[in-house]
Amino acid sequence: MKRINSMKTLAGLAALFLAAVSARADVSLNGIFDDHMVLQRDIPVSVYGTAEPGEKLTVAFAGQTKSAPADKDGKWSVKLDAMKACANPAVMTVSGKNKLTIKDVVVGDVWICSGQSNMDFTPGAYNGPEDPKPYDEKDFDFPLLRQFHLVNEPSMRPETDVKVNRGNGTSEQSATWLPCKPTTGNRFTAVGLYFGRKLQMETGIPIGLIKSAWNGTRIEPWISPAGLAAVPELPAVTGLPAEYKSDGGYPSTWHCLYNGKIHPLTRYGIKGAIWYQGESNGDEGETYYQKLRALIGGWRTAWGEGDFPFHIVQLAGRFRSTDTPAGNNPAGGDGWAKIRMAQFKALTIPHTGMAVAMDLADVREPGDIHPKNKRDVGERLALWALAKDYGEADLVYSGPLYKGMKVEGG
C-alpha cells in the first residue's frame, strides 16, 4: 500500500513538473497588454512578453505582421510601425507555441496619471448630490476613454513586468483596461476621467489613462535614480536599506514607487503625464522644485520619447487666515504657499503646464486636504494639453499667473 502511494506521489510530482515546464513554454504578454487597451499613435509601438528561449513569436495587428525570437532568458519584443489614431476596435494576435488574442484594441493617446490621493480618488469619493458640480453617470458614457489601474506594488529594484490582479474586473485594484461606461467610470481617477473626457470630446481621439497613484505618498519614492543623479542641487542617495522605510504606513524610500509602479510602464508608448501631488511634502519650497526637475527629467529619460508633455496641478488653498495653526503660517506647513510657488516655478521646465486649483477648495470645509471639485481640475489640465500638445493655439488655457510684487510705504 505504501509503495502504491509512493508511486502516486511520484506521478503527481511528475505531472506538476510537466505542467510547470509547459506553462513556462507558453507565450505570454506583459500584463499591460489586455482587451480594450489603447496603443499610442504616431510612434513605433513595442509589444513584449515571455516565451520558450529561441521560440519565434509573431504579432499581427492592423495590417502589420512582425516576428522576433525570444532571447536566452525567454524574453521577446517586437516593434509595430507607427500608426495613426483609430477608433475602430481591432484584434491583436500573438502566435508561437500557443496563440493569444487581444480584443477591442484602439489607437490614440496614452497619459500617465500619477501622484497621491487627489489623483488616486475616484469620482464617487468626491462629488455627491450636495456638491456644486455633482457627477452624473452620464458623464461616464465614453467607451473610447479607457483606464488601466496599476496595483500598489513598490519595489527596491526596477521592475519590468506590470503586476496583474485581474480578479473579476470590479475592484479598483484590478489591473485591466476598462472602457469608461456608467458601470465602470466611478472606478477611474476622477481628475484623469475629466481630463481624458475633455480631450476625447474635443479631438475624437481614443484616450488611454494609466492610473499609477498612491495616497499619502511623498514625491521622493516616485523619482528615478537617473532623475535624482541629474539634479546636483539634490543630495545623492547612498546605502538604501534592505526594507522599505515608511511614513505613516506609506512607502517613502527613494525610488521604490518608481521601481514598482513607473519603471514597468516605460516600454509602453505614451503621450505624456499628469501629476497631482505635493500635500505630503508640506512646507518645502525650492527643494520641491528641484525634486520636480528630477521627477520629470528621470521619467523622460526612462521612456526615451524626448520631452513629452508633463502637466501638474498646483495645490488648492487650504485653511482661512483665522484658522490655526496653519492659518498663522500661510507660507509653509499646511499653508502650502511655498510649495505652490515651487510648482509655479516648474513651468520653467520645457513642455510643462500647470492647472491652478487655488479657487477650487471647498469653503464649507476649509481644512479639507481633498477639494471635491475634480471636474474643473481635470478640465483645466486638459486645456493646457489642448493648447500645448494638440495645436489649439487660440485656446485660452490658463488664468492669470503670478508676475511679481513690490512693497510701497508700510
Side-chain angles (χ1 to χ4, degrees):
M1 188 69 177
K2 289 183 178 179
R3 185 183 178 191
I4 293 174
N5 287 338
S6 297
M7 292 176 65
K8 287 182 177 179
T9 300
L10 289 171
L13 290 172
L16 288 172
F17 175 76
L18 290 173
V21 171
S22 177
R24 181 175 179 273
D26 282 350
V27 176
S28 69
L29 279 161
N30 191 281
I32 192 74
F33 296 93
D34 199 5
D35 293 347
H36 318 300
M37 67 181 175
V38 181
L39 297 177
Q40 180 59 43
R41 64 178 174 137
D42 297 339
I43 62 172
V45 171
S46 295
V47 182
Y48 42 94
T50 60
E52 186 73 17
E55 183 175 359
K56 180 182 177 182
L57 288 306
T58 300
V59 176
F61 179 72
Q64 299 187 48
T65 301
K66 303 286 186 178
S67 297
D71 66 17
K72 61 182 179 60
D73 296 319
K75 297 178 180 180
W76 61 268
S77 177
V78 303
K79 188 160 284 190
L80 299 174
D81 298 333
M83 297 170 282
K84 296 298 183 184
C86 182
N88 297 322
V91 171
M92 175 184 289
T93 61
V94 180
S95 303
K97 174 179 176 290
N98 55 301
K99 184 176 181 179
L100 303 174
T101 300
I102 309 296
K103 297 173 289 186
D104 188 28
V105 181
V106 294
V107 181
D109 285 339
V110 179
W111 290 83
I112 303 292
C113 306
S114 191
Q116 59 181 105
S117 55
N118 274 311
M119 182 64 81
D120 187 46
F121 285 179
T122 57
Y126 285 105
N127 277 340
E130 76 283 0
D131 290 308
K133 288 190 175 182
Y135 75 85
D136 190 311
E137 286 191 349
K138 293 192 295 293
D139 293 345
F140 304 157
D141 192 14
F142 286 82
L144 291 177
L145 173 63
R146 285 113 186 259
Q147 175 185 270
F148 187 93
H149 185 177
L150 261 72
V151 297
N152 286 343
E153 290 283 352
S155 177
M156 292 304 293
R157 64 180 185 276
E159 301 290 344
T160 57
D161 296 329
V162 171
K163 299 293 193 302
V164 293
N165 177 21
R166 300 295 186 204
N168 57 8
T170 60
S171 167
E172 288 182 26
Q173 282 290 307
S174 294
T176 186
W177 283 97
L178 289 177
C180 186
K181 300 184 293 185
T183 56
T184 62
N186 62 353
R187 299 204 298 278
F188 278 48
T189 155
V191 169
L193 184 148
Y194 291 116
F195 168 78
R197 187 184 74 151
K198 187 167 183 65
L199 294 183
Q200 212 279 306
M201 287 191 298
E202 294 290 333
T203 67
I205 295 169
I207 300 294
L209 308 173
I210 300 181
K211 180 181 176 182
S212 184
W214 194 328
N215 63 301
T217 52
R218 295 173 60 85
I219 191 174
E220 291 88 345
W222 296 99
I223 298 174
S224 72
L228 178 62
V231 180
E233 291 85 352
L234 294 174
V237 177
T238 60
L240 286 176
E243 301 297 330
Y244 304 117
K245 290 182 179 179
S246 65
D247 178 10
Y250 305 112
S252 62
T253 297
W254 285 85
H255 318 319
C256 70
L257 294 183
Y258 170 80
N259 288 339
K261 286 174 66 71
I262 298 299
H263 194 266
L265 302 170
T266 56
R267 288 187 290 170
Y268 197 82
I270 63 169
K271 174 73 171 179
I274 57 175
W275 174 256
Y276 196 161
Q277 192 277 336
E279 301 89 342
S280 289
N281 285 81
D283 61 356
E284 292 185 36
E286 178 68 19
T287 301
Y288 188 79
Y289 161 67
Q290 303 298 352
K291 290 173 182 176
L292 278 173
R293 284 181 57 209
L295 178 88
I296 296 168
W299 287 20
R300 287 172 171 172
T301 297
W303 259 277
E305 295 181 10
D307 289 346
F308 60 70
F310 199 106
H311 304 308
I312 67 175
V313 180
Q314 188 185 51
L315 297 188
R318 188 186 182 205
F319 296 107
R320 296 175 295 224
S321 60
T322 56
D323 292 321
T324 57
N328 295 327
N329 183 22
D334 288 333
W336 294 343
K338 289 194 291 186
I339 209 161
R340 279 194 293 270
M341 195 64 188
Q343 292 167 326
F344 168 71
K345 189 175 179 180
L347 287 175
T348 62
I349 302 170
H351 305 294
T352 57
M354 184 186 74
V356 173
M358 187 67 178
D359 59 315
L360 300 181
D362 192 335
V363 295
R364 299 167 300 173
E365 299 180 7
D368 191 358
I369 198 172
H370 302 125
K372 291 182 171 62
N373 183 354
K374 292 296 184 281
R375 181 180 304 185
D376 284 326
V377 173
E379 291 184 350
R380 288 177 185 183
L381 286 169
L383 288 173
W384 275 88
L386 289 167
K388 299 297 186 179
D389 313 320
Y390 291 87
E392 297 192 19
D394 296 330
L395 189 68
V396 177
Y397 59 89
S398 175
L401 295 175
Y402 175 76
K403 181 178 181 181
M405 62 164 284
K406 65 179 181 177
V407 177
E408 294 183 353

Short mmCIF file of all heavy atoms in Angstrom, two decimals, residues 20 30 45 93 111 130 159 164 178 203 210 223 227 240 244 308 314 335:
data_model
loop_
_atom_site.label_atom_id
_atom_site.label_comp_id
_atom_site.label_asym_id
_atom_site.label_seq_id
_atom_site.Cartn_x
_atom_site.Cartn_y
_atom_site.Cartn_z
N ALA A 20 4.55 22.73 -15.09
CA ALA A 20 5.38 23.92 -14.91
C ALA A 20 6.20 24.20 -16.16
O ALA A 20 6.33 25.35 -16.59
CB ALA A 20 6.29 23.75 -13.70
N ASN A 30 3.25 40.84 -21.51
CA ASN A 30 3.35 41.66 -20.32
C ASN A 30 1.94 42.06 -19.87
O ASN A 30 1.03 42.22 -20.69
CB ASN A 30 4.18 42.91 -20.63
CG ASN A 30 4.54 43.68 -19.38
OD1 ASN A 30 3.74 44.42 -18.83
ND2 ASN A 30 5.78 43.51 -18.93
N VAL A 45 5.45 51.16 -31.79
CA VAL A 45 4.86 50.59 -30.58
C VAL A 45 5.49 49.24 -30.29
O VAL A 45 5.47 48.34 -31.13
CB VAL A 45 3.33 50.45 -30.72
CG1 VAL A 45 2.75 49.66 -29.55
CG2 VAL A 45 2.68 51.82 -30.82
N THR A 93 -3.19 39.60 -32.41
CA THR A 93 -2.87 38.21 -32.11
C THR A 93 -1.36 38.06 -31.91
O THR A 93 -0.57 38.73 -32.57
CB THR A 93 -3.33 37.26 -33.22
OG1 THR A 93 -2.67 37.59 -34.44
CG2 THR A 93 -4.83 37.33 -33.41
N TRP A 111 -1.97 58.59 -21.47
CA TRP A 111 -1.47 59.51 -20.47
C TRP A 111 -1.28 58.80 -19.14
O TRP A 111 -2.17 58.08 -18.68
CB TRP A 111 -2.43 60.68 -20.27
CG TRP A 111 -2.50 61.63 -21.43
CD1 TRP A 111 -3.24 61.49 -22.58
CD2 TRP A 111 -1.78 62.86 -21.57
NE1 TRP A 111 -3.03 62.56 -23.41
CE2 TRP A 111 -2.15 63.42 -22.82
CE3 TRP A 111 -0.88 63.54 -20.77
CZ2 TRP A 111 -1.62 64.64 -23.27
CZ3 TRP A 111 -0.36 64.76 -21.21
CH2 TRP A 111 -0.73 65.30 -22.45
N GLU A 130 -24.97 66.91 -3.05
CA GLU A 130 -24.97 68.19 -2.35
C GLU A 130 -23.88 69.13 -2.84
O GLU A 130 -23.82 70.29 -2.43
CB GLU A 130 -24.80 67.95 -0.84
CG GLU A 130 -23.39 67.60 -0.39
CD GLU A 130 -22.99 66.15 -0.69
OE1 GLU A 130 -23.82 65.41 -1.26
OE2 GLU A 130 -21.84 65.79 -0.38
N GLU A 159 11.44 47.17 -11.77
CA GLU A 159 10.67 46.04 -12.28
C GLU A 159 10.41 46.24 -13.78
O GLU A 159 10.34 47.36 -14.28
CB GLU A 159 9.35 45.90 -11.54
CG GLU A 159 9.50 45.69 -10.04
CD GLU A 159 10.07 44.33 -9.69
OE1 GLU A 159 10.06 43.44 -10.56
OE2 GLU A 159 10.52 44.17 -8.54
N VAL A 164 -0.21 42.02 -12.25
CA VAL A 164 -1.62 41.92 -12.59
C VAL A 164 -2.39 41.29 -11.44
O VAL A 164 -1.91 40.40 -10.75
CB VAL A 164 -1.83 41.10 -13.88
CG1 VAL A 164 -1.28 41.83 -15.07
CG2 VAL A 164 -1.21 39.71 -13.77
N LEU A 178 -10.21 49.26 -18.65
CA LEU A 178 -11.65 49.43 -18.52
C LEU A 178 -12.13 50.55 -19.42
O LEU A 178 -11.66 51.69 -19.28
CB LEU A 178 -12.03 49.78 -17.08
CG LEU A 178 -11.91 48.70 -16.01
CD1 LEU A 178 -12.27 49.31 -14.65
CD2 LEU A 178 -12.81 47.52 -16.32
N THR A 203 -11.15 66.16 -29.46
CA THR A 203 -10.31 65.66 -30.55
C THR A 203 -10.90 64.46 -31.29
O THR A 203 -10.52 64.19 -32.43
CB THR A 203 -8.92 65.25 -30.02
OG1 THR A 203 -9.07 64.10 -29.17
CG2 THR A 203 -8.28 66.39 -29.25
N ILE A 210 -3.37 55.64 -17.69
CA ILE A 210 -2.74 54.64 -16.84
C ILE A 210 -2.63 55.24 -15.45
O ILE A 210 -1.84 56.15 -15.21
CB ILE A 210 -1.35 54.23 -17.37
CG1 ILE A 210 -1.48 53.63 -18.78
CG2 ILE A 210 -0.70 53.23 -16.43
CD1 ILE A 210 -0.16 53.18 -19.38
N ILE A 223 10.69 59.27 -7.81
CA ILE A 223 11.80 59.77 -8.62
C ILE A 223 12.74 58.63 -8.98
O ILE A 223 13.09 57.81 -8.13
CB ILE A 223 12.56 60.87 -7.86
CG1 ILE A 223 11.63 62.07 -7.59
CG2 ILE A 223 13.79 61.33 -8.64
CD1 ILE A 223 12.25 63.15 -6.71
N GLY A 227 17.02 60.30 -12.60
CA GLY A 227 16.48 61.65 -12.41
C GLY A 227 17.12 62.35 -11.24
O GLY A 227 17.47 63.54 -11.32
N LEU A 240 20.92 52.45 0.47
CA LEU A 240 19.50 52.16 0.60
C LEU A 240 19.28 50.93 1.48
O LEU A 240 19.97 49.92 1.34
CB LEU A 240 18.88 51.91 -0.78
CG LEU A 240 18.69 53.14 -1.66
CD1 LEU A 240 18.17 52.72 -3.03
CD2 LEU A 240 17.73 54.12 -1.02
N TYR A 244 11.73 48.56 3.09
CA TYR A 244 11.17 49.88 2.86
C TYR A 244 11.11 50.69 4.14
O TYR A 244 10.73 50.18 5.19
CB TYR A 244 9.74 49.76 2.31
CG TYR A 244 9.62 48.94 1.06
CD1 TYR A 244 8.87 47.78 1.05
CD2 TYR A 244 10.24 49.34 -0.10
CE1 TYR A 244 8.75 47.01 -0.10
CE2 TYR A 244 10.13 48.59 -1.26
CZ TYR A 244 9.38 47.44 -1.25
OH TYR A 244 9.27 46.69 -2.37
N PHE A 308 8.40 64.68 -23.37
CA PHE A 308 6.94 64.53 -23.51
C PHE A 308 6.22 65.48 -22.54
O PHE A 308 6.76 65.91 -21.53
CB PHE A 308 6.50 63.08 -23.31
CG PHE A 308 6.83 62.47 -21.97
CD1 PHE A 308 6.18 62.87 -20.81
CD2 PHE A 308 7.77 61.45 -21.87
CE1 PHE A 308 6.45 62.29 -19.58
CE2 PHE A 308 8.06 60.86 -20.64
CZ PHE A 308 7.39 61.29 -19.49
N GLN A 314 -1.40 72.65 -9.40
CA GLN A 314 -0.94 73.46 -8.28
C GLN A 314 -1.94 73.30 -7.14
O GLN A 314 -3.15 73.40 -7.34
CB GLN A 314 -0.84 74.93 -8.70
CG GLN A 314 -0.19 75.82 -7.64
CD GLN A 314 -0.23 77.28 -8.04
OE1 GLN A 314 -1.28 77.79 -8.41
NE2 GLN A 314 0.91 77.95 -7.96
N GLY A 335 -0.07 75.46 5.02
CA GLY A 335 -0.49 76.62 4.25
C GLY A 335 -0.18 76.48 2.78
O GLY A 335 -0.86 77.03 1.93
#
